[in-house]
Amino acid sequence: MKKLFFAIVLIATAVAVNAQDAVKKYRVGIFASLFLDSSFAGSTYKFTNQMPRHILPGLDFVQGALLAVDSLGNSNKNLEVTVYDLRSADQSITALRSKNIFDSLDLMIGSVTGADYRSLADLALMKNIPFVSATFPNDGGVTNNPFTLIVNSTLPVHCEAIYNFIMRNSPTANLVYVRRKGQQEDRLASYFNAFNKSATGGQLLKWKTVVLSDDFSPAVLTANLDSTKNNFIICGSLDEVFGMKLVNAANSVRKTYDMELMGMPTWDGMKDLTKPEYKDLPIYHTSTFFNTGTTAYSSFTKKFTDLTYGRPSDVAYKGYELSWHFINLLLKYDHELMQHINERTFRLFTEYDFKPILNNTSGRPDYFENKRIYILKRSNNLVSRMN
C-alpha cells in the first residue's frame, strides 16, 4: 500500500508551482517516465496495492526532486517547478514542443534515457537551457553541446578510474583480466588497453587476458592464478550473470589464493553481493553515488520514509540532491549557472566533478561530464570508500 500512496502523492503534486509576483520567475522542468496514464483508469488505480517495477525509478526520482523543492523554503518564492511525465500523451516531448513549453524554461533536470535524453539535449542547445542528465550513463552521440551535463558517468570514465586505482594500489599483483566474447566486451577491453599505453607505445601494466565461456568452471580461472602472489581479477564484462559466475568461481578458491576482485559499475546494484557467503572475498566496483553518512542524507531518508512508508532508492537520493544543487545554483547565478556547476556551497552527500569533454574539431565542449568516480569495497558485509 505504501507505493500506492506514493503514486497518489505524485498525482496530487505532479505540478509543483511556488511562484509569486516578482521581477524574475525561474522555471524548472523535472522530466521522468511516470506512466501515470497507463496506471489509472480515470481516477481508479489499476494495480490495486501493487506497483509495476518499471514505474518505480521515475516515481522515486520525482519524489526526491519535489522534496528538494519543498526544502527550499522562502528561497522558492520566485520559483516555478513543473514535473513532466514523458510517457503521458499530452506531456511527451513532441507535445511539449507544440505548446512551446521549452521557450520559458531556465533549467531542465531529467531521469531519462535513449531518445528522450537526446531530444532534451538537443533542446537544451537550441534554447540555451542547462540540462542535467541525472541517470543515463551515456553521451547519446551529443556533440558541441555546452548545455548538457552528464551526472551518471560514461563507461570510459569508470574504466579510467578502475585503471588508475589498480596502478596506484596493485601494480605488481598478478593481474588477470577476465571477459567473455561480445562487442560490448571488445569495447571495454579497448578502453583499458588505451589507458595502458605508455608514451612510447608499450604497456604500463602487465595483465593476462582470459576469455571465458558463459558456463566456465572455476578450474579455468585457477589455471591463471598465482599462489605466491596477490591475484587481482578484473571483470571485463557488464553482464551481471557472468559477473556473479566470476564471483562464485573466485569465492570457491579464495582459501587457496590470495585475491581481490574488481567489478564493473553494474555491480553497484547486484544484491547477491550482500550474501554472507561472500563476506571474506574483497570485492570492488565503481559508482558515481555513495552514502557519506551526512546529516542531509539522514534527514532526506526520514522525510522520504515518513511520506511514502518506504526507504528511498539511489534514484530518489539523486533526484533530491541534484534538484537541490542545481536549483539553488539557478537562483543564485541565473543565466551564469553553467559557470558555477562545481561550486560546493549546495552539495549534500555526493561529490561531483564536472569537466568539459572537448570536441577535437571545434574545441568546444561536447558536454560536461561528472568525473568523480567512487571506488567502493565490499568486505565483511560492509561497504567502504577507497578514494
Side-chain angles (χ1 to χ4, degrees), residues 146-337:
F147 291 94
T148 292
L149 296 102
I150 297 175
V151 179
N152 196 10
S153 310
T154 60
L155 193 53
V157 176
H158 283 272
C159 292
E160 184 178 17
I162 291 171
Y163 179 83
N164 290 337
F165 177 79
I166 297 170
M167 176 65 83
R168 289 193 307 269
N169 297 279
S170 303
T172 61
N174 178 39
L175 302 175
V176 183
Y177 185 90
V178 179
R179 54 164 293 184
R180 61 202 285 268
K181 291 183 178 180
Q183 291 184 349
Q184 190 177 69
E185 286 74 15
D186 290 342
R187 188 166 67 252
L188 268 174
S190 71
Y191 297 148
F192 283 105
N193 289 332
F195 296 132
N196 197 40
K197 285 185 179 179
S198 68
T200 59
Q203 291 186 327
L204 298 172
L205 293 175
K206 304 294 184 183
W207 63 67
K208 304 173 186 175
T209 297
V210 182
V211 181
L212 301 178
S213 63
D214 288 340
D215 59 349
F216 71 91
S217 67
V220 182
L221 177 64
T222 56
N224 294 279
L225 301 181
D226 188 335
S227 61
T228 66
K229 300 176 65 176
N230 179 48
N231 297 275
F232 198 101
I233 304 170
I234 306 119
C235 180
S237 174
L238 300 179
D239 187 273
E240 294 184 22
V241 175
F242 181 84
M244 280 309 305
K245 196 165 185 64
L246 181 59
V247 170
N248 285 321
N251 195 51
S252 69
V253 297
R254 63 175 172 75
K255 292 182 179 179
T256 304
Y257 298 92
D258 183 19
M259 72 174 65
E260 298 170 284
L261 184 58
M262 173 64 77
M264 287 285 112
T266 49
W267 290 27
D268 196 26
M270 285 168 52
K271 293 184 178 180
D272 282 351
L273 295 179
T274 63
K275 291 181 177 180
E277 55 260 43
Y278 306 126
K279 68 181 182 66
D280 295 321
L281 177 64
I283 298 174
Y284 303 89
H285 62 78
T286 57
S287 178
T288 56
F289 176 83
F290 180 67
N291 170 13
T292 55
T294 62
T295 301
Y297 187 95
S298 300
S299 175
F300 170 71
T301 303
K302 185 178 187 306
K303 287 179 183 177
F304 188 97
T305 302
D306 289 346
L307 180 63
T308 68
Y309 303 103
R311 287 188 60 81
S313 65
D314 286 359
V315 179
Y317 287 107
K318 291 173 183 176
Y320 180 75
E321 69 172 347
L322 290 171
S323 297
W324 173 265
H325 178 72
F326 283 100
I327 290 175
N328 270 302
L329 289 179
L330 175 66
L331 295 174
K332 183 175 180 179
Y333 294 110
D334 200 337
H335 62 276
E336 295 182 350
L337 180 156

